[in-house]
Amino acid sequence: MPTNKLDQLYRSVIMDHYKSPRNKGVLKDNNVTVDMNNPTCGDVIHLTLQVEDGIVKDAKFEGEGCSISMASASMMTQIIKNKDIDTAVHYAHLFSDMMLGKEIDDSIDLGDIEALSGVAKFPARIKCATLGWKAMEKGLGSDSDN
Amino acid sequence: MLSKEIRKDFPILDQEINGYPLVYLDSAATSQKPRQVIEAITNYYKYDNSNVHRGVHTLGNRATEGYEGAREKVRKFINAKSTQEVIFMRGATTALNTVAQGYGRQNVEEGDEIVITHMEHHSNIIPWQQLAKEKGAILKYVDLEEDGTLSLDKVRETVTDRTKIVSIMYVSNVLGTMNPIKEITEIAHAHGAIMVVDGAQAAPHLKIDVQKLDCDFLAFSGHKMCGPTGIGVLYGKKDLLNKMEPVEFGGEMIDFVGLYESTWKELPWKFEGGTPIIAGAIGLGAAIDYLEQIGLDEIEKHEHELAGYAMDRMSSIEGLTIYGPKDPGKRAGLVTFNLDNVHPHDVATVLDMNGIAVRAGHHCAQPLMKWLDVSATARASFYLYNTEEDVDRLVEGLRIAKEYFE
């Protein structure tokens, strides 16, 4: 069986985030909450953020969905913590580019998130991967493409 | 079991997907098309293409004969009394919306009830939600039994003298449940309500007899029964259709057009505004010829056997839950399931990597997903071209998915 192609999608770091999601739960002292779903497949995410002086101080998510959507949301919450809003939104744009298979500026270290680049080759799964990021953009008031 | 020779009629099945021979288990979403149907459509465009009902010329006559000939095939297929009762539409969705807007708006008033069930497809929920909202009517749901079947007692409890419309699917696209339409129709009629049947998952798989069912309307789509997309059928009893106003207005459906008033053609054309779906209807006619030549009873038997075999084999996989009736005799040829700790999308991706096409998601039945208390499920659906080997490949694929995610 073609495990190689499967492994392109389900990289071990993705499986790790899926099985042990980071920042899972609901932030009690949040000042931003977003609920979003993917109507074509039923995936849902409940994102809570604590934003102070334009900085994302903390982020947590809860949701139901496939390995790709949940791992992606987990990674998203990791990278936006302690970033200012513009940077967080910029990451969302970079992620969107990555899903479109575009070249990403090498100088930016996306860490675990780079493991999701393989999703671009699975068109049916791109919406899974972008759910958490769309929720974050919406929460930070910058869901320009919606 | 039907002969494997049938597979040769479906050119699409003869290909590799991700390095494996294709196993197509998504026919409940849309079926594949046999050569006979593809050729009927191609030949129409190559040799007979013309507009219908107006040409004096030979091609116009041929196109009209093809289109109206397809209507007669549909009439016979569902045993309608007359071709006036067979209206071509885009699909089951359009047909159900036409009943809701055409019949519903005229006949449903504030405080009246519309009865549906928790297992309906969105296309048999939303048209009634919209109608109920517009009219101040009450939309009521018949609750399901634990095994995903309908109890006639619960239907009796739900339908009252205030009920104007009962609309229920013949076969569930998720649970596979085959509903007792004839008996439900009797209950509806006893209260003076009309019976609407969503036959989208029934028409491809079993012999439908609208006179025996005594239903008032029946909707189905061509593409799930070996026909092309974009064609479907609304059957309605003649007296009801005669009283109903058209929903679409324009060319083809008119009798006389004045500056401020117009009149409509007679049935069935008053509901077919605009140039009709000629090639689609001809393709659907060819699909009916094809299915009848094999035999609907034979097809139904084949699917029951495959579903039974699949349920048997799939039950051997630890952590696999099958939804719907446990008795294969009570269900159509599909199996909806979940694998513990593996999301259905991931199941579907792993299967696809092994050449197997299944559906994952909510199957356009969000209220039913809620009833099942799941966010999504995976579904393998069978048709006349599927074999026991296909089921074996599915089971093997599921074992791979399970191992991969453990």
Side-chain angles (χ1 to χ4, degrees), chain B residues 275-309:
Chain B
T275 292
I277 314 152
I278 308 166
I282 288 168
L284 176 58
I288 288 174
D289 287 344
Y290 181 79
L291 295 176
E292 285 184 335
Q293 173 223 318
I294 291 163
L296 265 294
D297 291 339
E298 291 300 309
I299 293 169
E300 189 185 352
K301 191 163 156 267
H302 177 78
E303 290 173 23
H304 275 309
E305 284 172 12
L306 267 187
Y309 181 69

Side-chain angles (χ1 to χ4, degrees), chain A residues 1-2 7 10 39 41 67 125, chain B residues 20 345-346 349 353 362 404:
Chain A
M1 86 123 188
D7 290 342
Y10 300 115
C41 64
S67 56
R125 305 302 297 276
Chain B
Y20 291 84
H345 284 172
D346 294 318
T349 293
M353 287 300 106
H362 55 53
Y404 195 86

Side-chain angles (χ1 to χ4, degrees), chain B residues 114-311:
Chain B
I114 301 157
V115 172
I116 61 175
T117 78
H118 278 281
M119 69 171 87
E120 302 309 317
H121 186 282
H122 294 163
S123 61
N124 197 28
I125 298 176
I126 309 166
W128 309 117
Q129 281 178 353
Q130 294 299 103
L131 177 65
K133 268 193 245 169
E134 183 186 318
K135 293 290 182 175
I138 302 152
L139 185 58
K140 290 167 88 178
Y141 286 82
V142 181
D143 201 6
L144 311 184
E145 300 304 288
E146 217 151 277
D147 66 348
T149 57
L150 278 181
S151 117
L152 288 173
D153 281 340
K154 284 199 180 132
V155 176
R156 278 186 206 101
E157 283 164 24
T158 316
V159 178
T160 73
D161 288 343
R162 288 305 311 256
T163 306
K164 286 282 169 68
I165 296 170
V166 178
S167 188
I168 293 180
M169 61 188 353
Y170 202 154
V171 174
S172 162
N173 64 319
V174 176
L175 302 165
T177 314
M178 299 163 74
N179 289 319
I181 294 299
K182 190 173 183 294
E183 290 76 5
I184 298 170
T185 303
E186 280 170 18
I187 297 169
H189 287 170
H191 289 278
I194 61 145
M195 181 72 196
V196 184
V197 180
D198 170 5
Q201 294 294 342
H205 309 291
L206 49 95
K207 184 89 198 83
I208 294 181
D209 184 330
V210 289
Q211 292 190 59
K212 216 183 243 174
L213 293 174
D214 198 28
C215 59
D216 299 285
F217 293 100
L218 168 81
F220 61 96
S221 298
H223 71 94
K224 292 186 199 286
M225 49 184 285
C226 295
T229 52
I231 184 78
V233 171
L234 171 64
Y235 157 82
K237 280 184 184 162
K238 195 172 156 187
D239 55 330
L240 293 175
L241 289 173
N242 267 329
K243 284 184 221 151
M244 224 166 101
E245 280 293 301
V247 174
E248 280 191 340
F249 304 91
E252 281 283 335
M253 53 79 67
I254 46 86
D255 182 23
F256 172 81
V257 177
L259 285 179
Y260 303 103
E261 287 289 336
S262 300
T263 54
W264 323 136
K265 260 191 193 162
E266 58 181 14
L267 287 176
W269 303 291
K270 80 169 183 180
F271 290 103
E272 294 180 355
T275 292
I277 314 152
I278 308 166
I282 288 168
L284 176 58
I288 288 174
D289 287 344
Y290 181 79
L291 295 176
E292 285 184 335
Q293 173 223 318
I294 291 163
L296 265 294
D297 291 339
E298 291 300 309
I299 293 169
E300 189 185 352
K301 191 163 156 267
H302 177 78
E303 290 173 23
H304 275 309
E305 284 172 12
L306 267 187
Y309 181 69
M311 283 170 77

Side-chain angles (χ1 to χ4, degrees), chain B residues 55-114:
Chain B
V56 174
H57 55 74
T58 304
L59 290 187
N61 287 338
R62 280 195 214 153
T64 304
E65 269 169 32
Y67 183 67
E68 293 303 330
R71 198 189 307 277
E72 167 57 20
K73 286 176 189 177
V74 174
R75 184 207 64 76
K76 203 166 132 265
F77 183 68
I78 57 172
N79 194 31
K81 274 185 194 151
S82 150
T83 49
Q84 291 187 305
E85 299 180 318
V86 175
I87 300 156
F88 285 124
M89 303 214 152
R90 190 168 64 85
T93 298
T94 312
L96 290 165
N97 276 283
T98 301
V99 179
Q101 287 175 35
Y103 181 89
R105 277 199 178 139
Q106 273 177 307
N107 294 284
V108 174
E109 289 164 17
E110 193 178 342
D112 285 344
E113 298 166 353
I114 301 157

